[in-house]
Structures are given as structure tokens and as C-alpha cells.
Amino acid sequence: MTDPIEINVTGRLMLMLTQLGIRDARVLSIFARAVSAVVHRRMAVAAHTGLADMDPILDEQLRLLKRALDRRSQAPAPSALQHDLPVAQAQTRARTSIDGSAVAAEHVAARPAREPRVESGYVPVVKSQEEKLHDARMPVQALLHGDCVATGLLDAAKAAQLVAGMTGKTSQDAEREIVEYLRQVLQTQAKALIRKARGGPWADPRIQEDLRQDIHAAKSIRGILMLYRQVVKEYQAWEQGRDRSGLLGMFSARHRGRS
């Protein structure tokens, strides 16, 4: 998957579905095809070419889709054919209304209707090992496509590359390798900030060493994200303090008290 629109749609969808407790890879694939088709069509009609123009359209589609899924979750669940619900509901809920027409219903893969089962009761879907691994990796993939890209720790292309590299691995092994890479990214970015600020809030070498050890000790993607946000927060606070201590600082309450 190299289309930047499809990458963004898939990442945002994966995050939303995970938050809703939906982890069926087939459902994600169906929704991603439908929403991507709508975004492509709407951007073409409006003669938009930049990714920035995509965000309002994608936000609208995800909002409509979530509303439909919320309505579905409030409806009583039928007792028969429960094992067919995720894919069947994905196909029908992808028809959420926009601009007075169905959402890319023609782009949703049609599946033959199944004959009603004579026997009653729940029949579990047997998944392959790779399908199980894929489902287990979805929360990690959601973090990469979502928070890591949104904060600027990764760009969308690198996030997609890391997700592709997870294939065939358990979520634990994949995350362990990704965390090792993210540690290096965060260390590099922290060093760049320290150089830019000529030390800034980390002017003391002991503080720099503490930061290095904190980065090295991070064991999860969430831990790396927390450290990244903290580094940015400390830098921004230092920048604001420096601005106040400049010419504008002459008009602070402390200086006025001395006049």
C-alpha cells in the first residue's frame, strides 16, 4: 500500500475500529476500500490534490461511519448466524449517507449470500495463524499510524514501512523491534533540540544523561510517545520562558515593581 490517501484512511480507520472494539481484519479492509474510494472521488470532483484537503473529507466520513456503528451497537443482537455479523455489518454499514447518496456502495466487495443454517447456536470462525497474529498486531499498528504520526515522531511513509515489517511476527516481537528504532529516533531528535537550544532546559550534562537513560529504559511505543511529548513540552516551556525574559520581560510585574 503506497497511496498516501489509503495509508491515512487505513490508519485512522484502524484506530477508530480498535477503540470501538472491532478487530476483524476483513471489516477493516471493507471499510478502508469504501472510505478511500469516497475520498478519492470527492477530491477529484473538487480538484484537490494536497493531503491537507483530504482531512475534512476523511473526518466527515469517519464521523458518519462511527455514527452508523454506534447505532448498530445499540441494536439487539440476533441469535442466529452470529459468526457472519462482522463482515455482513461492514458491508451494510459502509452505505452511510453522504451528499444524499450512498457511501461508495459500488466499491464495497460484494459477497454471495449464505444459506441459513439449519442448526442453531454459535459456530466460531476458524482463523489462520497469520490472521490471529494480524489481529493481535492491530493496536500497535494503530499507534504507529495514529499517535506516532500525529505527534511528528514518524511520518506516514515510515509508519507504513514499520507496519509492513510486522508481517509474520507476534505483536510482542514486532513492538520490541519498533521500540528499538523509536528510541534511536527520539534520541536523535532530543540531541537536535539540545543543539538548537544550546542546552536549553537540558543545559546540565546530568539532565542530559537522565534523559538518555529514560529513553533507553522505555519498553513500549506508549512509553516512547510519553517521553517524546515530555521533551517537546519542556522545550516549549523553555522557549516561552526565554521570550518572557527578553524585551517583553521588561514589562513583567517583577520589573515594574523595581521601577
Side-chain angles (χ1 to χ4, degrees):
M1 177 169 46
T2 58
D3 184 351
I5 290 179
E6 292 184 10
I7 291 173
N8 279 273
V9 167
T10 301
R12 294 278 301 278
L13 262 175
M14 186 182 300
L15 182 61
M16 186 185 80
L17 293 178
T18 300
Q19 292 172 343
L20 293 174
I22 300 173
R23 294 180 172 82
D24 193 308
R26 295 172 298 170
V27 173
L28 172 64
S29 177
I30 290 169
F31 282 145
R33 287 199 302 270
V35 175
S36 295
V38 173
V39 173
H40 274 294
R41 187 172 65 245
R42 292 276 297 276
M43 290 183 68
V45 170
H48 291 322
T49 57
L51 286 180
D53 300 316
M54 173 198 69
D55 289 337
I57 301 174
L58 179 54
D59 289 344
E60 176 192 20
Q61 295 307 304
L62 294 181
R63 185 168 57 252
L64 291 170
L65 179 57
K66 185 177 184 301
R67 188 183 307 161
L69 291 173
D70 287 341
R71 286 198 300 267
R72 180 211 67 184
S73 65
Q74 296 170 3
S79 58
L81 297 177
Q82 292 181 356
H83 62 289
D84 291 332
L85 279 179
V87 173
Q89 289 172 340
Q91 293 170 335
T92 56
R93 299 302 176 183
R95 305 179 66 90
T96 307
S97 150
I98 64 163
D99 295 340
S101 59
V103 176
E106 68 273 18
H107 296 282
V108 179
R111 296 177 181 263
R114 300 190 182 187
E115 292 294 330
R117 294 181 180 272
V118 176
E119 69 276 11
S120 61
Y122 174 73
V123 179
V125 176
V126 178
K127 294 184 178 182
S128 68
Q129 182 63 21
E130 176 52 35
E131 287 177 324
K132 294 177 182 177
L133 289 174
H134 179 275
D135 290 351
R137 293 192 301 261
M138 287 183 67
V140 174
Q141 295 174 0
L143 280 175
L144 292 174
H145 282 304
D147 289 21
C148 288
V149 173
T151 58
L153 188 59
L154 295 174
D155 58 32
K158 186 60 182 182
Q161 181 182 345
L162 292 175
V163 168
M166 296 173 69
T167 303
K169 301 173 185 176
T170 66
S171 61
Q172 294 85 357
D173 289 342
E175 182 169 15
R176 191 178 302 112
E177 294 177 6
I178 291 171
V179 166
E180 181 62 31
Y181 172 78
L182 292 180
R183 285 197 199 108
Q184 298 174 14
V185 171
L186 180 53
Q187 187 68 48
T188 299
Q189 294 186 2
K191 288 180 179 178
L193 279 178
I194 292 172
R195 286 195 299 269
K196 179 180 178 181
R198 296 182 179 178
W202 311 282
D204 190 328
R206 292 173 298 180
I207 297 178
Q208 295 181 24
E209 177 60 19
D210 289 342
L211 175 60
R212 188 194 68 80
Q213 292 183 7
D214 287 343
I215 295 173
H216 181 73
K219 302 298 183 184
S220 67
I221 295 175
R222 291 188 184 278
I224 292 289
L225 282 166
M226 182 180 69
L227 280 172
Y228 177 84
R229 293 186 178 105
Q230 182 63 30
V231 167
V232 172
K233 182 178 178 180
E234 289 179 6
Y235 177 77
Q236 291 174 341
W238 175 81
E239 279 278 291
Q240 292 172 0
R242 187 179 64 167
D243 291 342
R244 286 194 296 270
S245 65
L247 292 176
L248 294 177
M250 296 174 61
F251 301 97
S252 66
R254 181 180 59 182
H255 286 284
R256 286 198 301 269
R258 293 178 180 175
S259 60

